[in-house]
Amino acid sequence: MSSASTSQPIVPKTDYIEEKEDEEAYWKIDAEICGMLPNLPKEKGWTSEDLVQYQGFWIYPTFALKAAVHLQHHFNLFQTTGSSTSAARGSLPMYFLATLPKSGTTWLRALMFATLNRSLYDAASPHHPLLTTGPHDCFPCLEMDNMLGNHDHSRPVTSLDHDHHDDRDGGDAMIDSYVPPTSTAQLFATHLPYSLFPKSVTTSSSNYGVSKFVYVCRNPKDVFISLWKFGSKVKAVNTGLAPFSLEEAFDLFCRGVCPYGPYWDHVLGFWKASLEMPEQVLFLKYEYLRKEPSANVKRLAEFLGQPFSEEEESKGVVQQIIKLCSFENLSSLEINKTSRTQQYLVKANIVVENSDFFRKGQVGDWKNFFTDDMAKRMDHIIDERFSGSGLTFANP
Ligand code: PAP
């Protein structure tokens, strides 16, 4: 999304690169990416940068493409070099929150963070870190924060250190440390489609122990409206360019051209993986989460290996977590109303307010925007793409 030149390596060296041969490999990969860029299909972007098509998916070139390719190679390098950092990381499972943008990332970040760290942070406490830290700053984005060197990967990143701070003016904003006194897993958010994921991570025999994916799917009509609203604002603020009209955006979305799209390929990739490996991929639906939060949060905790005890349930811990992470609560917090703290965006000089991630949080808002023709076209695509998959949408 930035205006950075795509002919320059924009992904700084990180602690992934520990040995000389890794460093050489890193720059070789970077040169390869720069070489491939001019030949990739290109379309107008939804925010402030054009999208390129890479292995079937439309992604932003300045960090998503470069980061995705680097990560694929680095995880492999990592796996084969057997460095000390690799060994340290290998002892902790990796949990990924995977989403197509605008499907519920912010909500699930908060829920995963609060659930996994409930023994550290009481969900009902007035000092819970989520009350002063935006959900996007609780744990890193795999393809963005990592490649921009925001995190110390020699240490686990399950949760925040109590002493973290941020600079509300942006610029040098930073979180000092994501390291809690105890950690049970490394947590990452990602928008990468399943098929672009490094095999070393999706293969259960990897050096990293068990990798698990929590995927959140939201009905495509609401995702489209949410994306169009968000993209329009970000594009106007960062480029001064006119945002897409509703019709133009809808046509692009239907043709599969949206960040990390096509929508259906992204969703189906994780859906199929969840059917094949239910112990490794949990497939959640935004609408069902809205309807039955308690059942879903319990399912989430169980999947992540930390089921709620009877005592916790009787004390109302599940309900406390749901309340803490609710749209109403999070969107009313000062940190989410007035700050701009997402590290990779701040570093890339892209203006996105924390409040931009809280709009309405409703199911079915699409009905306020769609014409009958739009609804028919989308329904037709849904039938065509998802028939036979077993996946249905609560409110398509
Ligand atoms: P991202 O993938 O770019 O991080 P993401 O959080 O998935 O964005 O999407 C934002 C949407 O989630 C917004 O939907 P809307 O535009 O239809 O309103 C936002 O309002 C909604 N959202 C954010 N937090 C919550 C929450 N706690 N509960 C329910 N919905 C939420």
Side-chain angles (χ1 to χ4, degrees), residues 259-290:
Y260 299 89
Y263 170 94
W264 18 94
D265 292 341
H266 200 282
V267 170
L268 283 171
F270 281 96
W271 172 247
K272 286 176 186 160
S274 77
L275 296 179
E276 283 161 20
M277 296 170 292
E279 69 296 333
Q280 212 176 324
V281 183
L282 175 68
F283 194 94
L284 298 175
K285 292 178 180 175
Y286 181 98
E287 296 75 20
Y288 184 44
L289 258 155
R290 267 304 214 184

Side-chain angles (χ1 to χ4, degrees), residues 90-107:
S91 60
L92 286 173
M94 295 168 99
Y95 295 157
F96 297 97
L97 165 60
T99 51
L100 187 94
K102 308 304 154 200
S103 299
T105 323
T106 310
W107 190 13

Side-chain angles (χ1 to χ4, degrees), residues 152-172:
D152 178 353
H153 292 285
S154 62
R155 299 188 292 175
V157 289
T158 303
S159 63
L160 291 161
D161 183 50
H162 284 294
D163 297 331
H164 79 276
H165 75 264
D166 61 288
D167 169 357
R168 301 294 160 83
D169 298 331
D172 276 342

Side-chain angles (χ1 to χ4, degrees), residues 26 65 119 133 141 158-159 202 297 318 371 384:
Y26 174 91
L65 170 69
S119 60
T133 307
C141 175
T158 303
S159 63
T202 54
V297 170
V318 179
T371 61
E384 206 174 63

Side-chain angles (χ1 to χ4, degrees), residues 236-265:
V237 168
N238 286 280
T239 67
L241 295 173
F244 292 142
S245 66
L246 181 63
E247 293 71 25
E248 194 179 2
F250 186 70
D251 187 58
L252 284 168
F253 190 90
C254 289
R255 291 196 285 114
V257 185
C258 64
Y260 299 89
Y263 170 94
W264 18 94
D265 292 341

Side-chain angles (χ1 to χ4, degrees), residues 99-110 136 191 218 222 225-227 229-230 286 290 325-328 330 342 344 356-362 365:
T99 51
L100 187 94
K102 308 304 154 200
S103 299
T105 323
T106 310
W107 190 13
L108 260 293
R109 270 178 173 278
H136 284 83
H191 291 316
R218 190 180 188 190
D222 280 338
I225 292 299
S226 185
L227 187 62
K229 284 282 184 187
F230 177 87
Y286 181 98
R290 267 304 214 184
C325 303
S326 68
F327 179 87
E328 294 68 27
L330 292 182
Q342 272 198 53
Y344 57 86
D356 293 333
F357 293 90
F358 301 91
R359 195 179 61 91
K360 288 186 179 175
Q362 285 173 4
D365 188 41

